[in-house]
Amino acid sequence: MGCYGEQVLPRIVNVACGMKTVEPLRQRVCEGLAGEVVEIGFGSGLNVPFYPAGVTRVAAVEPADVGWKLADKRLRAASVPVQRSGLDGQSLPFPDDTYDCALSTWTLCTIPDVATALGEVRRVLKPGGTFHFVEHGLAPDEQVRRWQHRLEPVQKRVFGGCHLTRPIADLLRSAGFTITELDVFYEDGTPKVMGANSLGIALSP
Ligand SMILES: C[S@@+](CC[C@H](N)C(=O)[O-])C[C@H]1O[C@@H](n2cnc3c(N)ncnc32)[C@H](O)[C@@H]1O
């Protein structure tokens, strides 16, 4: 990865993902997290203030060193111990059946081999563990989907491999999860091509 991907992009993500308007979604997706949690695509720790009191420890998986540095202030204010524990969601350095919950917010769009990453999340979750997610992806409407397919090559180049057309719920089901809660909606104030969100909880068998 060059200077743009390593230095500039994590700062752009920190600002773009750090908008106040997104905080209610972070609050919602973190509700019910408890026990030992693995968060993939930790970024600059924007979910840290929303971890509920029932969380005992968080293992953060994040490749960008700059993202981790930008998380510093939030980490110092955290009421839960958070450790940078891995660099790649596609290859999690944890034994099977380790975590009670997993968390991913706007990350499944970017991980190159998303099916492998979801397989890894399933592997490290205990049986019956829950995967909390809010992700943008393939829109429910055909007209928006057409634009997503057109714009995806540009999006991938500018935003470090971010896909617009990943079918989030289908990917979760294909990885063997059972979706127990799902809300699909367009995010206010975001162009529909980028703001088709899926927020929910998936159960690991
Ligand atoms: C759009 S950002 C979202 C960051 C954060 N989850 C949030 O909500 O603010 C996507 C994140 O995925 C991370 N990422 C990219 N490839 C990854 C991989 N293979 N494994 C884990 N995280 C990855 C990026 O570095 C970035 O921090």
Side-chain angles (χ1 to χ4, degrees):
M1 225 196 290
C3 171
Y4 175 73
E6 279 174 19
Q7 299 293 330
V8 182
L9 193 56
R11 291 182 165 85
I12 294 175
V13 168
N14 181 47
V15 173
C17 290
M19 310 273 271
K20 283 262 173 233
T21 50
V22 177
E23 291 186 353
L25 298 178
R26 295 190 186 279
Q27 176 85 47
R28 269 179 73 192
V29 74
C30 288
E31 263 166 33
L33 287 173
E36 307 251 319
V37 176
V38 56
E39 178 171 355
I40 58 165
F42 179 78
S44 54
L46 290 163
N47 292 320
V48 171
F50 300 96
Y51 295 151
V55 173
T56 51
R57 186 174 69 91
V58 175
V61 177
E62 171 55 51
D65 292 339
V66 170
W68 191 251
K69 279 188 200 130
L70 292 169
D72 188 53
K73 204 170 146 196
R74 282 179 278 273
L75 288 170
R76 277 190 278 115
S79 50
V80 173
V82 181
Q83 265 192 330
R84 190 178 188 186
S85 307
L87 300 175
D88 184 359
Q90 298 161 125
S91 173
L92 296 175
F94 314 122
D96 297 359
D97 305 342
T98 302
Y99 293 97
D100 301 292
C101 298
L103 173 66
S104 173
T105 60
W106 300 289
T107 290
L108 298 183
C109 53
T110 303
I111 296 181
D113 185 344
V114 68
T116 296
L118 289 173
E120 280 291 89
V121 172
R122 237 194 83 178
R123 181 183 66 74
V124 303
L125 274 175
K126 294 175 184 168
T130 52
F131 182 31
H132 294 230
F133 59 91
V134 57
E135 299 289 342
H136 74 86
L138 192 65
D141 303 298
E142 190 47 46
Q143 205 188 350
V144 181
R145 287 182 181 196
R146 276 202 291 275
W147 276 104
Q148 288 183 313
H149 285 291
R150 276 181 208 136
L151 294 173
E152 186 162 73
V154 179
Q155 174 83 4
K156 281 164 70 177
R157 290 196 118 201
V158 177
F159 291 106
C162 172
H163 294 70
L164 293 173
T165 60
R166 287 194 165 159
I168 300 302
D170 289 349
L171 286 166
L172 286 163
R173 289 191 195 100
S174 299
F177 287 96
T178 301
I179 297 176
T180 54
E181 288 179 31
L182 181 63
D183 185 11
V184 178
F185 58 93
Y186 292 111
E187 193 178 319
D188 287 343
T190 302
K192 283 185 173 177
V193 285
M194 289 179 71
N197 278 309
S198 299
L199 185 154
I201 298 178
L203 196 67
S204 188

